[in-house]
Amino acid sequence: MASKLKKKLIKETSWGIATKAIVFPMFFLINIFLARTLGPDLWGAWSYFFSILTITFLFVMFGVKATIKFVAQHNYTEELPKVLKDALILRVGISSVFALGFFLLSTPLANLIGRPEFVSLFRWASPIVFLTGFVEHFKGVFTGLHRIKFNFFTSGSEFSLKLLFLVLFLTFVGISLKNIILAFGVALLFSLTVAMGLLYKNYSFSSPTSSASYLKDIFQYSLPLFVISAGFAIATEVDTLMLGWLANDLAVGDYAIAKQLVTKLPHISYALAMGTMPVFAQLNRDNLADRQKLFTRLLKINSLLFFPIVLGIWVLASWAIPLIYGAAYVGAVYPLQILSVYVLVFTFSVFFNQFLDYQGLAKRRAINLLFSLFLNIGLNYWLIPIYGATGAAVSTSISYFPYLLLNIWETRKVFKDLAASKA
């Protein structure tokens, strides 16, 4: 049985790594193309706009992580069709509410940040908000089902098509932020079609044998996870938003280049976690020892991967940034080197975060995140006016460290309490 589980985890982890292996280069090709095509000023404006859009994406993902948990718990049971159906019903409502809300709030939001030119862009982006919620929903379902290869096809189509349509739209239609939004929208529509086809071809939604309703359960568990997502959205993007407020588009553009690299590197850790962490949804006294060994092994693998990566960032940043993005973006070098500390902290947080989520402790993680969020805002307000993008990098790197320590403490407490009950 243990051997069968090990083979399953290796297979799913391999698909997870393959998913990130195709998404990672596509993401950077997209942003390298945009930075070189738009130029520093327009690139900075796009980065500021997309920072706000990214926060909205994380809001519209309300319910996705809870869906992963419930699907993982009821996988291979007769309850699964009902869980899938109720999760989809909830997704329709959530995506509709957030997309409509984003459209209706476009004018006051643009006025709030002092960028009235963003009003039409926000309105054009509202369908993207709707589509993103669905694409991420299906990715979450595939993760809970341990069908990571479906994530590979969905994510691969999404990012490759984004790059393709960006090149086509900006080359043949014209260089504008609106055309970037249209390109993303078309790509998301295609990738959503792929995801729906994969799920409906392999799983049945019709005539669930169970009469139980999981709508309320998924919704209720989504609430603390939503607080986490909201806090994470703000914590992740507050540096960019405050740069746009306290500095200028050039500083935003430099910081965006550094930040895009460090926010995507942890996806290597997500690839490891994608195929392994769902097993922690079923943690008990009988499998405690094996699960602890697995968790420790994942942390060791993460160390072996990321300590050399962080060292490489420090050594190569001053050479690689001007070469890849152009000499106009040399201001991204120092922020990138400083944010490498954030990379190390965040990659370890991936495993502790998911462990707590699968153990139903999302509320405690939300409290820990709020503490780091307030610390980050305070440090940004102090350092950005003095040091610009470099100050934002320092603030972000420092503020996430207590978040990691608090989540480590919570995770160790779960293991300790379960071990004590076993004795």
Side-chain angles (χ1 to χ4, degrees), residues 35 37 50 74 94 108 114 120 187 274 312 357 379:
T37 302
F50 195 71
H74 296 90
I94 291 168
S120 62
M274 191 183 296
D357 288 350
L379 288 172

Side-chain angles (χ1 to χ4, degrees), residues 18-29:
T19 301
K20 301 308 177 184
I22 190 172
V23 168
F24 202 72
M26 287 294 174
F27 173 83
F28 283 104
L29 286 173

Side-chain angles (χ1 to χ4, degrees), residues 325-396:
Y325 289 91
Y329 298 103
V330 69
V333 172
Y334 285 152
L336 175 58
Q337 290 174 325
I338 295 168
L339 283 171
S340 64
V341 177
Y342 162 84
V343 171
L344 201 58
V345 171
F346 193 91
T347 57
F348 282 102
S349 293
V350 167
F351 300 99
F352 293 100
N353 294 351
Q354 293 198 15
F355 177 87
L356 294 175
D357 288 350
Y358 282 119
Q359 284 299 301
L361 297 173
K363 184 177 180 180
R364 295 183 186 180
R365 187 161 78 86
I367 295 171
N368 297 342
L369 181 61
L370 287 175
F371 173 78
S372 289
L373 169 60
F374 290 126
L375 178 61
N376 195 9
I377 292 173
L379 288 172
N380 273 312
Y381 190 77
W382 174 36
L383 295 175
I384 286 176
I386 304 173
Y387 302 107
T390 301
V394 172
S395 302
T396 299

Side-chain angles (χ1 to χ4, degrees), residues 20 39 50 73 86 121 144 195 228 259 269 303 376:
K20 301 308 177 184
F50 195 71
Q73 285 181 331
D86 286 351
L121 295 178
I228 291 174
K259 187 176 177 180
S269 299
S303 299
N376 195 9

Side-chain angles (χ1 to χ4, degrees), residues 170-191:
L170 295 189
T171 302
F172 298 105
V173 181
I175 298 175
S176 71
L177 302 189
K178 175 184 171 183
N179 285 336
I180 300 174
I181 295 171
L182 292 176
F184 279 13
V186 175
L188 284 167
L189 187 60
F190 274 98
S191 61

